[in-house]
Each structure stands twice: as C-alpha cells, then as structure tokens.
Amino acid sequence: MAFDLGGGKGGIRPAMNVTPLVDVVLVLLIIFMVVTPLMTKQMWMTVPAKGDDQEAPPPPPDAVPPVVLTVDKSGVLRINREEVARDQVVARLQRMLNARPDKIVFFDASDDVPYGAAMDVLDLARGGDITVGVLPDKLAD
C-alpha cells in the first residue's frame, strides 16, 4: 500500500494500490478461461440407422392396444377411431383406463387442426386427471 505524505490538513491519507489486485484478478481469469473448456462433459452415442427393410417386431398376442384420442379438422373427437361427443370424452376415457394396467392416453391431431382447437381437446383430457402422451408421428391407418 502506498501512502500520500503530503503536508495537507488531513495528515497521512491511505490510498490503495490496485496493481496487485488487478494482477491477481487477471491470473484468476486466465485460469478459469483455461479450465472451463476442460470441465465440459461429452457423451458419444452410436444410434443404429433406421432402415426401411427393418420392420418393428409385432407386439405380443396378449398386448392391449393403446388408447388414442384423435381430433380431425372438423373438430370430431375419436377414441380408438370411434366418434365420441365432446361432453362424454373424459368419462369414457376414465372408464377405459380403469380397466387397463397402463393409465395413459395418447393424443393425435390431424395436421389441419388449428393449434388452439388441439390444445382445447388436450386440456379437456388432462382436466380429468388423465395422463396424456402426444404422438409425434402420424399413425398408420
């Protein structure tokens, strides 16, 4: 630390020398800049290519088909391709799920359905305490 020995009224006034502080901060900055890239973790994963010649194995004969709730452009709701009135959807899904070991309903909307209409149907199903999974791809008809 340096001191100002001027002959003013205050006598000796301490003034902090910031040079050592700046040196320490710069050294720490360089250390963190060097160490940070070494701390990243990388995971390499090899995923087999999806070939057209490979078919998915058929489900076991005792497998229960999934429950799928669909909505089309005109707003018609279907549970496993059977039309259901909007006010009966939740009760019907709950009855179907009570008889199943898995308690999940898959949701699928036509590409032409407006986003808001699809979310209304999804919220309707979720409002009945039903676990809903959204299908990412089109179903094979």
Side-chain angles (χ1 to χ4, degrees):
M1 291 180 56
F3 295 97
D4 184 11
L5 300 176
K9 292 182 181 178
I12 299 176
R13 285 189 351 217
M16 184 175 177
N17 187 0
V18 295
T19 304
L21 177 67
V22 171
D23 289 344
V24 169
V25 170
L26 287 176
V27 168
L28 287 174
L29 178 68
I30 291 170
I31 289 172
F32 285 124
M33 286 174 58
V34 169
V35 171
T36 301
L38 301 175
M39 293 175 57
T40 59
K41 292 185 169 81
Q42 294 181 354
M43 291 177 46
W44 298 100
M45 187 180 310
T46 305
V47 179
K50 184 176 181 181
D52 293 334
D53 58 341
Q54 297 176 353
E55 287 189 24
D62 59 342
V64 180
V67 177
V68 181
L69 172 65
T70 58
V71 60
D72 62 5
K73 183 178 180 179
S74 60
V76 176
L77 300 177
R78 290 185 173 87
I79 298 176
N80 290 347
R81 298 183 183 163
E82 182 180 336
E83 285 190 29
V84 178
R86 187 178 194 89
D87 57 346
Q88 298 174 356
V89 169
V90 175
R92 182 120 181 233
L93 286 173
Q94 288 174 340
R95 276 194 318 246
M96 291 176 78
L97 292 179
N98 284 337
R100 297 174 61 90
D102 60 337
K103 306 290 185 196
I104 190 165
V105 173
F106 293 100
F107 176 73
D108 188 29
S110 174
D111 291 340
D112 301 334
V113 175
Y115 180 77
M119 288 297 107
D120 287 341
V121 174
L122 190 59
D123 288 340
L124 177 71
R126 292 186 60 191
D129 279 340
I130 297 171
T131 305
V132 180
V134 179
L135 294 174
D137 295 329
K138 291 184 178 184
L139 292 175
D141 289 332

